[in-house]
Amino acid sequence: MTQILRWLSAISTWLFRSKAPVPVEWQPEWSHILTANVAFYRVLSEEDKALFEHRVALFLATTAVEAGQFEVTDKDRMLVAASAIIPVWGFPKWHYFNLKAVYLLPAAFNQQFECGKADSRITGMVGTGPMAGTGPMAGKMALCRSALYQGFANSKDKHNVGIHEFVHLIDMLDGECDGYPERFKEYAYSIPWFELVRHKTNEIVKRKSNIGDYASTNRVEFFAVASEYFFERPQMMKDKHPKLFDALSEFYQQDVMAIEKDVRVKRKQRCPCGSKKRYKHCCMPSD
């Protein structure tokens, strides 16, 4: 009970605290973490890798990454920041002005942010339930740490909870979370988009689609789930859902096909970070 009270106290403190931006100095080991864990980063040119790192640093300077039950690691920060940068990579001046902090929990949680309960099935939350409106949770995001890690460890399963939740934030930036990012496209284009969503949702319901079932929940979740698919398996989406692929390419202003060329380094090969060590002794994830 004492441990639970301490945890709830930590969350309460986090809810009401506001931090001023703190400049972030890039550390060389952070590049190794990104190389080992983020396929999107691995396929960038050296110039674009430097730009990605710059944008990660800017994100971390304005957004806190915190936890109440464990110490936040550099890997935690890198994966949260990568989740934020990937969907807005086509928009160099993008800033998440509707986000103040990301709070990590060790496992799935419920609406009260409790892990290990019968209803603890949430892996990410932003802008809904207790995080909606102008209350103390406004401007916050909660993520299950293990799910965040899994999203990057398996780049072929079409799931990435970090990207999913940041896509929701993008959707909300026009003042309404409706499954259509007006900040990306003029609202005049919404009619054909929503018609495509309706068609694809019907396919999911009829079990005639490989898009995750959760996408059929509503238009908001369809946009987030489809975006996960787009960034993880672009070639598969292009082959199976060409109109959806084209629409998301237009939304995000990105050519994501290079991700398909990413090949996992074998354990005994030289590490791609340039250390000259074997991958298994350098940047290969241990978890």
Side-chain angles (χ1 to χ4, degrees), residues 16-129:
F16 290 97
R17 182 169 57 206
S18 178
K19 289 187 174 181
V22 178
V24 173
E25 182 177 351
W26 191 261
Q27 303 299 314
E29 56 267 28
W30 295 353
S31 299
H32 298 169
I33 293 172
L34 291 174
T35 297
N37 296 279
V38 183
F40 187 97
Y41 173 86
R42 279 197 296 271
V43 301
L44 296 175
S45 67
E46 292 305 311
E47 181 179 359
D48 281 343
K49 283 181 179 177
L51 178 58
F52 192 95
E53 293 169 1
H54 175 68
R55 294 181 65 176
V56 164
L58 288 177
F59 174 83
L60 293 175
T62 58
T63 310
V65 179
E66 303 177 348
Q69 295 174 279
F70 52 83
E71 183 177 350
V72 175
T73 67
D74 285 344
K75 183 175 179 179
D76 296 334
R77 296 185 183 91
M78 290 302 105
L79 295 190
V80 168
S83 301
I85 302 305
I86 288 170
V88 296
W89 179 245
F91 303 88
K93 297 182 179 180
W94 187 276
H95 175 62
Y96 289 98
F97 59 80
N98 56 344
L99 182 67
K100 299 176 183 177
V102 176
Y103 195 84
L104 299 177
L105 293 107
F109 51 93
N110 59 19
Q111 290 282 338
Q112 289 72 47
F113 306 101
E114 299 171 316
C115 301
K117 302 294 184 180
D119 60 344
S120 297
R121 296 185 292 270
I122 302 171
T123 56
M125 182 187 294
V126 61
T128 59

Side-chain angles (χ1 to χ4, degrees), residues 50 152 197 234:
F152 284 97
V197 171

Side-chain angles (χ1 to χ4, degrees), residues 14 16 31 39 48 59 74 106 111 135 158 165 168 229 252 264 276:
W14 169 68
F16 290 97
S31 299
D48 281 343
F59 174 83
D74 285 344
Q111 290 282 338
K158 302 174 293 190
E165 296 305 323
H168 280 325
Y229 189 162
Y252 290 112
R264 285 286 183 180
K276 297 184 179 180

